[in-house]
Every structure is written in C-alpha cells, then in structure tokens.
Amino acid sequence: MLLFPELSLVGHGSSIDTLDLALALDDPRIAEIAAASAEMCTVFGFIEEGPAAQFYNATAAVRRSRVEFVHRKINLATYGRLEEGKYYASGRKVDTFEVMPGWRTGVLICADLWNPPLVHLAAMRGATLLLSPISSAIEAVGAEFDNPGGWRINVQFYAMIYGMPIAIANRVGHEGDLTFWGGSRILDPFGNTLAEAQPASEQLIVAELDYNALRKARYLLPTVRDSNVSLIVRELARLNRTAGILDM
C-alpha cells in the first residue's frame, strides 16, 4: 500500500481554485493512477466533485484499474489559519474497505483524527489498519499548540488503545506562510513507531505489518471487544433529547 498526504494531487492551498481543480471519480486522470497502481493499493488526496456540484476534500484508494474506496473529510478544519469549512462540503460517513484477508482499512483525513468518535467508528466498522493523510503545518493552530508533538501523542494513543496500526503521511515544505513539518510515520498495534520520516524531510518510509501482532494486541487489551455500542447509541439519543452538551 502506498499512502500520500492530504490533497496530494493539488496542494494544501488549492481550495480557492476548487472550480478548476475538482475531479469527478470517473475523471480520466484518476483512471490513469488506478491503472498504474496495478496490484498495489494507492491512496491519494484530491478535491472531489460529487453529485449536485458538491465539493469535498477527499481521499481515494485505487488499484487494479478501479476506485475501490473514497473517504470525504468530515471534520473540516476551520480554526486558526485553516478555512476548509468555507470551501468544502463535509463528508457524512465513516467506512472501511478490505485490502486483503484480515486487513480492513479505514481512512480518516487530518482533523478527522482530532474528533475521537470518528476513530471509534472506524474501529467499530472493523478497521485493522487506519490510514491518515494529513496536511499539518507548524503555524496552523497557534503558537501555543505543538502540532508535531500533538500528532505524536494522537496516533500513538489510537494505535495502542485500539490495537490498530496507523500510518500518517504529511506534507513537507512551505505554502504561503505555512510550514509543513513532514514527520510521516507508521505505527504498530502497540503504538510503537516502525518507521518515521525525518522532520522537514521529503522521504519514502517503508514498514511491514504483522497481523499476528495485531491479534496479540487485541487479545491483551480488548478495547474493540468491550466497546458497548448499544450503550453509546442509547446515550447519544439521550443527549440529543436534552438538546446539547451543556443542557443536562
């Protein structure tokens, strides 16, 4: 599997040119990438033009000359220096797809991972591997927020708590006044880093995942097994009836 960063076909600051850069899923350029991928699953980011002229920050997984999976970013970053909510429609579902027997993959784009219920939904959808194409800049949120350090904690926590390997691919370099710090990495189901790019360095990193390690991690810490979905559904319904988080 080959994973590229968020919006890898067009760049981070492409949103203002959405009308010129958006691609439908049947666009010949996507078909060309799918054909070139052969048996390898290639995962890349682009601006998708969906039905009814709706535009999405999306990631596609392609191989064997076809599109196998698409995730539309749900948690659009509209804070700090980020304004995605001005340009894109929000995705409406969390799903997974099978890469090979045992390996069911979820994709969450950048800020999606800062919304814990979305990661939980991916795990409940059977994900045994989580991919996160990101576009994280040092200055994006504010001087008080350590973006590289925050991502390290974020993915290590999710990998360990769900016994779920995670791969993140981040942009490198400068776009406008934003500095993208790189640091792409692959973690095993115990939260250990298997491969990591050097900061601010454009690299291809490679790791091999062991399904037996995932089996052991989930046996020792059965977070997925013990997730009480019916309780969560019931409590969300109760929360909805109270019309807000603070009105209880």
Side-chain angles (χ1 to χ4, degrees):
M1 176 174 284
L2 180 62
L3 174 66
F4 287 95
E6 179 182 12
L7 293 174
S8 51
L9 292 190
V10 294
H12 173 80
S14 57
S15 51
I16 59 174
D17 297 314
T18 290
L19 292 177
D20 295 324
L21 297 175
L23 302 177
L25 288 177
D26 60 357
D27 189 280
R29 287 162 288 189
I30 292 180
E32 186 177 353
I33 297 171
S37 296
E39 293 298 312
M40 178 176 67
C41 185
T42 302
V43 183
F44 60 91
F46 68 111
I47 299 174
E48 180 200 356
E49 181 168 353
Q54 298 302 296
F55 303 96
Y56 301 92
N57 178 341
T59 290
V62 299
R63 63 175 170 174
R64 299 171 185 155
S65 297
R66 66 175 183 265
V67 176
E68 295 206 339
F69 181 79
V70 175
H71 173 72
R72 296 166 171 171
K73 189 172 183 178
I74 298 169
N75 204 46
L76 297 173
T78 309
Y79 46 77
R81 299 190 185 185
L82 308 173
E83 298 183 324
E84 290 181 285
K86 290 174 58 176
Y87 302 103
Y88 303 125
S90 178
R92 294 172 179 254
K93 66 178 182 178
V94 175
D95 215 336
T96 58
F97 69 104
E98 186 176 73
V99 180
M100 60 180 64
W103 290 109
R104 192 156 194 89
T105 303
V107 179
L108 293 175
I109 303 171
C110 204
D112 284 344
L113 264 76
W114 294 90
N115 188 340
L118 301 183
V119 183
H120 192 73
L121 283 170
M124 295 303 98
R125 283 285 187 183
T128 51
L129 170 64
L130 184 64
L131 304 179
S132 184
I134 74 173
S135 197
S136 176
I138 292 173
E139 310 89 350
V141 179
E144 296 80 14
F145 190 84
D146 176 8
N147 248 355
W151 272 106
R152 182 175 296 278
I153 294 169
N154 179 300
V155 295
Q156 185 176 27
F157 169 79
Y158 287 133
M160 180 271 297
I161 201 71
Y162 288 107
M164 182 167 58
I166 296 178
I168 67 169
N170 189 23
R171 187 175 306 281
V172 175
H174 297 270
E175 286 192 33
D177 57 354
L178 295 178
T179 307
F180 295 92
W181 49 274
S184 300
R185 68 201 62 185
I186 304 167
L187 290 83
D188 74 8
F190 294 98
N192 301 310
T193 300
L194 299 175
E196 182 175 356
Q198 295 300 312
S201 174
E202 186 175 319
Q203 291 179 257
L204 173 67
I205 60 171
V206 179
E208 184 174 339
L209 300 178
D210 180 2
Y211 190 77
N212 284 327
L214 180 140
R215 293 176 66 242
K216 184 175 182 180
R218 291 191 168 186
Y219 174 75
L220 293 173
L221 186 65
T223 303
V224 174
R225 183 199 72 187
D226 293 344
S227 295
N228 190 336
V229 176
S230 60
L231 171 67
I232 294 171
V233 170
R234 185 178 71 244
E235 287 301 294
L236 285 174
R238 187 166 70 94
L239 180 62
N240 187 55
R241 289 195 299 272
T242 61
I245 294 175
L246 299 179
D247 182 17
M248 297 185 179

